[in-house]
Amino acid sequence: MMKKFTETKFCTSLLASAALLVTLGGCERMPEKSGIQADKDWRHLFDGKTLQGWTGANGSHVGEAWQVVDGNLVLTAGGAGDIVTAEKFSDFELELEWKISEGGNSGIIYRVAGGNAPVWMSGMEYQVLDNSAFPELEKLSHSAGSVFDLYAPSEDEVKPTGEFNKTRIRVENGRVEHWLNGSMIVSYELWSEDWDTRLANSKFSSYPDFARSESGFIALQDHGDKVWYRNIRIREL
């Protein structure tokens, strides 16, 4: 009889302990291993202090108007030229935050082939724009978050001028996604029939190297307007 009571009491204690762990788990969860590993995959392309890891276009020196200001990578005035990463990337996920000056224009250009040609002649552009200054754009594929001159965003998610926006660009196995402030606003397949049709009707149709590279640099565009970038990080896929 004593043995049976002890076993019953022991089992009850185990159940009570399990219930307590479940209750506590609702208050504070230990990080999942997959989440920790995924976070380790990310690395910063801008350290918030220096321009290490960046060059001017075609390996030139970074223009003086690109400066680090209060932890931000800032184009303080036009004429400095575009800047590009020192490394090339093929499939990747890129995250960053940006804000643009009133009436401003810039861009994040990816899979840039390099060489002597301007970055926009080979890389696709995620448009950075003060949408409010251009209420009657000729093409919605020129608005913030678009694939410039090729794919318009499905919705206008850009924040008011002077506020930071969060961008994510994902490129994997030919599929590309543009995200803006938590919403996927563009998705497309490189070299698909739809892509070929749009390319043929775009300003890039006469550039044979446009979007042909399967690996390339990432560039931040000098379009002559003040722009801020921060929290730039990437993970290769």
Side-chain angles (χ1 to χ4, degrees), residues 75-167:
L75 177 64
T76 58
D82 305 326
I83 59 172
V84 300
T85 55
E87 295 180 60
K88 284 186 173 183
F89 302 95
S90 50
D91 286 358
F92 63 85
E93 192 166 18
L94 173 72
E95 288 186 350
L96 57 78
E97 294 176 78
W98 59 268
K99 70 175 178 178
I100 190 74
S101 54
E102 186 174 352
N105 187 335
S106 183
I108 306 155
I109 305 174
Y110 49 99
R111 283 201 173 172
V112 175
N116 294 323
V119 297
W120 56 267
M121 286 189 181
S122 61
M124 294 79 73
E125 178 180 352
Y126 183 113
Q127 174 74 314
V128 169
L129 190 75
D130 175 16
N131 279 359
S132 63
F134 303 93
E136 297 181 3
L137 277 173
E138 180 182 353
K139 294 182 177 181
L140 289 179
S141 59
H142 292 181
S143 60
S146 66
V147 185
F148 185 78
D149 211 45
L150 290 161
Y151 289 89
S154 59
E155 50 194 310
D156 183 1
E157 290 290 339
V158 71
K159 292 187 176 181
T161 309
E163 294 186 21
F164 273 99
N165 296 271
K166 186 171 184 179
T167 280

Side-chain angles (χ1 to χ4, degrees), residues 208-223:
D209 294 331
F210 182 77
R212 302 313 305 173
S213 178
E214 295 186 12
S215 177
F217 303 101
I218 295 168
L220 302 179
Q221 186 184 55
D222 173 2
H223 203 277

Side-chain angles (χ1 to χ4, degrees), residues 110 168-171 175-179 184 186-188:
Y110 49 99
R168 176 154 58 105
I169 301 170
R170 184 181 177 89
V171 183
R175 176 180 168 82
V176 184
E177 298 173 357
H178 283 194
W179 292 70
M184 185 172 69
V186 173
S187 65
Y188 66 96

